[in-house]
Amino acid sequence: MRFPYADLLAQLEQSGGEHATEASSLSPSVERLLAGAGESRAKAMASLILLLKARKATLQAAFDTTQVADELRLYQKFAKPGKPSAHIVQLRQSQAAARQATNVARQSLIKAASAFVRDAGIEVAPRTPLDEFITRWIEANLPKDEA
């Protein structure tokens, strides 16, 4: 699984920290976003880094959950009736762990999104779940990797 914002995340991490107020080589859309944060540019940049890391963890957890579910489905399809094999039991445990990781990743995404929205001064539409809003916002406003 390739994270579509890996290059942007690397750029932000390089230009972040103590050099956050200096001019950087970020894309114009990201520069506009951070410029809109005003005095709290460094804070908004740190929040954006955390947000992208949380989004990456969410995508990885969803990918892992899908893979385990596909493998479990395959083995259960050809399993004999009765007591499940040790391999199927392991796959079910892996599936439960993957679902738990997905829940934790989603919670971290919501927490990071909340901090970013506050720091960047972004208005969230009422009655919109924050994780859905921020996912759409990321897709619409941040440049994806070219490859």
Side-chain angles (χ1 to χ4, degrees):
M1 185 208 80
R2 172 127 168 81
F3 181 56
Y5 303 99
D7 292 343
L8 175 61
L9 182 57
Q11 281 181 338
L12 286 169
E13 288 176 329
Q14 283 180 347
S15 64
E18 48 200 58
H19 306 293
T21 55
E22 297 176 8
S24 63
S25 61
L26 295 174
S27 71
S29 61
V30 175
E31 282 295 337
R32 277 193 305 272
L33 167 75
L34 294 174
E39 295 285 323
S40 62
R41 175 185 162 89
K43 206 173 181 183
M45 185 179 287
S47 296
L48 182 57
I49 290 170
L50 290 176
L51 177 65
L52 288 175
K53 286 181 179 180
R55 179 67 180 139
K56 182 179 180 180
T58 304
L59 290 174
Q60 183 64 49
F63 179 77
D64 292 346
T65 301
T66 302
Q67 275 200 315
V68 171
D70 289 346
E71 190 175 354
L72 180 60
R73 209 173 296 115
L74 175 71
Y75 279 99
Q76 282 182 332
K77 183 177 182 179
F78 299 109
K80 295 178 183 175
K83 186 176 178 184
S85 69
H87 186 66
I88 289 179
V89 171
Q90 275 185 328
L91 286 174
R92 287 180 182 164
Q93 290 172 342
S94 296
Q95 185 179 35
R99 284 183 181 163
Q100 182 65 27
T102 299
N103 291 338
V104 170
R106 184 172 179 261
Q107 288 172 351
S108 69
L109 177 68
I110 291 170
K111 185 178 178 182
S114 176
F116 176 70
V117 165
R118 181 182 59 246
D119 294 340
I122 297 172
E123 289 292 322
V124 180
R127 299 185 191 166
T128 303
L130 187 56
D131 57 333
E132 290 178 20
F133 171 81
I134 206 67
T135 301
R136 286 193 308 258
W137 185 90
I138 288 171
E139 293 287 324
N141 295 296
L142 297 180
K144 290 186 179 182
D145 296 350
E146 294 182 18

